[in-house]
Amino acid sequence: MVMTDCKTLMKQIQKGSYDDVFSGLYGFDGVESARSRYIRLIRSFTEYYGEKPVALFSAPGRTEIGGNHTDHQNGRVLAAAINLDIIGVASYSDDNIVRIKSEGHSEDSVGLDGLDPVSVETGHSASLVRGICSRFAGLGYKVGGFCAYTVSDVLKGSGLSSSAAFEVITGTIINNLFNEAKVTPIEIAKIGQYAETVFYGKPSGLMDQTASASGGFVTIDFKDPDNPAVEKVDFDFEKSGHSLCIVNCGGNHANLNDEYASITREMRSVANIFGSEKLREADNGDFLAKIAGLRGKCNDRAILRAGHFFADNERVTAQVKALRAGDFDKFKEIIIESGNSSYKYLQNIYPAPDAENQSVSLALMVSEILLKNIGAWRVHGGGFGGTIQAFVPENMLNKYRAVIQSVFGADSCYVLKVRNSGGIKLS
């Protein structure tokens, strides 16, 4: 693969040779900051690894658009890549070791002579690197030694999936350095999922990695979880006249494991009554007529959560149809429907034992007051202590952001764009 020495690459960036690429990734108004960011990345690489021929890479974070808590029941989801990303610069090394230095973290060093899981790495990024290399090799692809330096602006704890972006940029580097870029985005996503589940020790769906690897809007049907159906959804978000805002509500993220587990547990209890392991397999038929038979066999909240699943699973199909038809108003209506269902039926807006503190509820109320009849709003990701998502008309963006930040603090509202490209080598 053709590479460029660090000094020449920085000069090319300074002269504007990469401006078109930067504009495509970050928007026209993000070009100047991208130049500075990538030059700083290359300088950090040279300070750590020395002057070498290198190549540039990027992998985006992602946002969940449709299908709230549907994936673990083999349902449908809609997600999109965003313009926050992990960027990396990489070079071949002479030994059989992969070294990745992420800004603010210690270097991950993985020898390729041993690619089985290492127990002391469980839960650490080195396990992801080892798992990705192991899976590439196990699938018959090439792996080799390289060194890379990465910098991320994907917000941690915001539901934008910084871990998936790290997995995708690692896979994209290996794909380009050693495999002539012939590994597909979906394969890279599956490799990342494998590494996270088997090596990192955290069960993972495929939504996060697929959205990051593919770019743009992507819909995934997990009916066959081993071979999920993935489709790109062609829609130019830039022409919608809206910005995508993620609001950090400042809730308490601690001790939420049981809250998340209760959703899976209760949905499964309804599926079991229907004779299935997952709600997607259940013959819900006339769900309304079957509610009386469910009561007494499971708790009422489980029935509500099952009802949310059945409806939100169908909403994903309707959202995809609206986007493909260019009907953004209909799309926004469905976003609000999904958000209301999450609030009333899924009930993942605030932890049940902490009903006095409802930062997500407050953010949703403020958003409804500001955006009613012109925008859309919903809980984002897993819910409970986290974030909300809002689609805000451009002429309302400054007001929306100002009001939100007056309530939740400076830098609580992140204005994002949908990015059309997934994990890439910049050229």
Side-chain angles (χ1 to χ4, degrees):
M1 187 185 76
V2 176
M3 290 193 167
T4 307
D5 68 86
C6 293
K7 290 182 180 178
T8 299
L9 186 56
M10 285 191 286
K11 288 179 181 178
Q12 290 174 343
I13 292 172
Q14 288 170 331
K15 289 195 304 182
S17 299
Y18 281 77
D19 284 2
D20 287 345
V21 179
F22 293 154
S23 180
L25 294 178
Y26 311 110
F28 179 76
D29 56 354
V31 170
E32 187 172 346
S33 62
R35 285 184 197 160
S36 299
R37 186 173 173 229
Y38 278 84
I39 288 172
R40 182 170 66 86
L41 168 74
I42 298 166
R43 284 176 176 156
S44 296
F45 175 92
T46 58
E47 289 171 4
Y48 199 86
Y49 291 114
E51 288 277 354
K52 297 174 181 289
V54 296
L56 296 174
F57 299 87
S58 165
R62 71 97 185 102
T63 181
E64 173 197 287
I65 304 291
N68 196 216
H69 281 279
T70 53
D71 56 338
H72 55 72
Q73 296 300 306
N74 295 358
R76 303 182 185 94
V77 298
L78 175 65
I82 57 171
N83 58 330
L84 299 181
D85 61 352
I86 294 180
I87 61 174
V89 57
S91 180
Y92 295 105
S93 58
D94 295 331
D95 53 21
N96 206 33
I97 299 174
V98 171
R99 298 178 178 88
I100 300 180
K101 174 70 171 77
S102 298
E103 185 180 54
H105 301 274
S106 58
E107 181 189 67
D108 295 315
S109 181
V110 172
L112 299 178
D113 293 331
L115 292 179
D116 292 329
V118 176
S119 58
V120 295
E121 291 179 349
T122 301
H124 298 280
S125 55
S127 67
L128 295 175
V129 178
R130 190 179 301 277
I132 290 167
C133 292
S134 176
R135 194 59 172 167
F136 264 91
L139 292 172
Y141 296 117
K142 296 178 182 178
V143 292
F146 68 90
C147 54
Y149 197 102
T150 70
V151 173
S152 176
D153 64 3
V154 183
L155 308 166
K156 291 187 176 181
S158 61
L160 300 175
S161 201
S162 57
S163 60
F166 179 79
E167 293 160 19
V168 169
I169 197 170
T170 302
T172 302
I173 291 171
I174 295 171
N175 188 26
N176 281 271
L177 292 187
F178 304 105
N179 294 282
E180 301 177 334
K182 64 185 178 184
V183 185
T184 68
I186 301 305
E187 286 181 289
I188 290 174
K190 289 181 177 180
I191 289 168
Q193 179 200 28
Y194 173 87
E196 188 165 334
T197 300
V198 178
F199 282 70
Y200 188 84
K202 178 185 175 184
S204 171
L206 192 59
M207 175 177 68
D208 298 351
Q209 295 89 345
T210 300
S212 178
S214 300
F217 287 93
V218 60
T219 184
I220 312 168
D221 189 337
F222 290 102
K223 187 174 183 178
D224 179 357
D226 293 328
N227 295 285
V230 181
E231 293 182 32
K232 291 273 286 184
V233 181
D234 291 329
F235 180 79
D236 188 350
F237 184 73
E238 288 293 314
K239 295 180 180 179
S240 71
H242 290 71
S243 285
L244 169 62
C245 293
I246 299 295
V247 178
N248 183 349
C249 305
N252 184 2
H253 294 258
N255 301 319
L256 292 175
N257 287 346
D258 190 60
E259 294 287 349
Y260 294 125
S262 71
I263 295 177
T264 305
R265 183 173 62 247
E266 291 179 3
M267 285 186 176
R268 186 189 302 119
S269 72
V270 177
N272 291 164
I273 294 169
F274 283 126
S276 305
E277 283 297 313
K278 305 283 187 179
L279 284 175
R280 181 62 182 277
E281 304 162 1
D283 179 16
N284 64 303
D286 185 353
F287 181 64
L288 180 63
K290 293 181 177 180
I291 290 176
L294 291 171
R295 295 200 74 199
K297 297 179 180 178
C298 59
N299 66 56
D300 288 345
R301 190 174 65 175
I303 301 172
L304 293 171
R305 286 173 162 172
H308 164 82
F309 169 83
F310 293 132
D312 226 39
N313 195 47
E314 295 304 318
R315 287 189 191 99
V316 172
T317 302
Q319 284 178 310
V320 170
K321 182 179 179 181
L323 288 177
R324 285 177 168 159
D327 190 346
F328 201 70
D329 287 337
K330 182 64 177 178
F331 169 79
K332 289 188 295 182
E333 287 179 19
I334 304 168
I335 288 284
I336 295 170
E337 288 178 9
S338 176
N340 287 339
S341 179
S342 292
Y343 206 150
K344 293 189 295 184
Y345 306 131
L346 182 60
Q347 298 183 28
N348 67 331
I349 306 302
Y350 57 89
D354 194 23
E356 293 182 355
N357 297 303
Q358 297 194 31
S359 59
V360 174
S361 307
L362 185 58
L364 292 170
M365 183 183 75
V366 172
S367 297
E368 182 173 5
I369 292 170
L370 290 169
L371 301 177
K372 190 172 183 179
N373 299 323
I374 59 172
W377 55 94
R378 72 189 282 269
V379 67
H380 184 247
F384 296 116
T387 56
I388 74 160
Q389 173 190 86
F391 290 88
V392 183
E394 295 291 353
N395 61 4
M396 269 290 295
L397 181 59
N398 290 338
K399 181 178 180 180
Y400 179 82
R401 192 176 188 187
V403 173
I404 284 291
Q405 295 193 151
S406 73
V407 176
F408 297 100
D411 299 322
S412 58
C413 182
Y414 305 98
V415 182
L416 309 177
K417 300 291 185 183
V418 174
R419 165 173 153 167
N420 289 325
S421 59
I424 60 166
K425 172 186 174 293
L426 278 67
S427 61

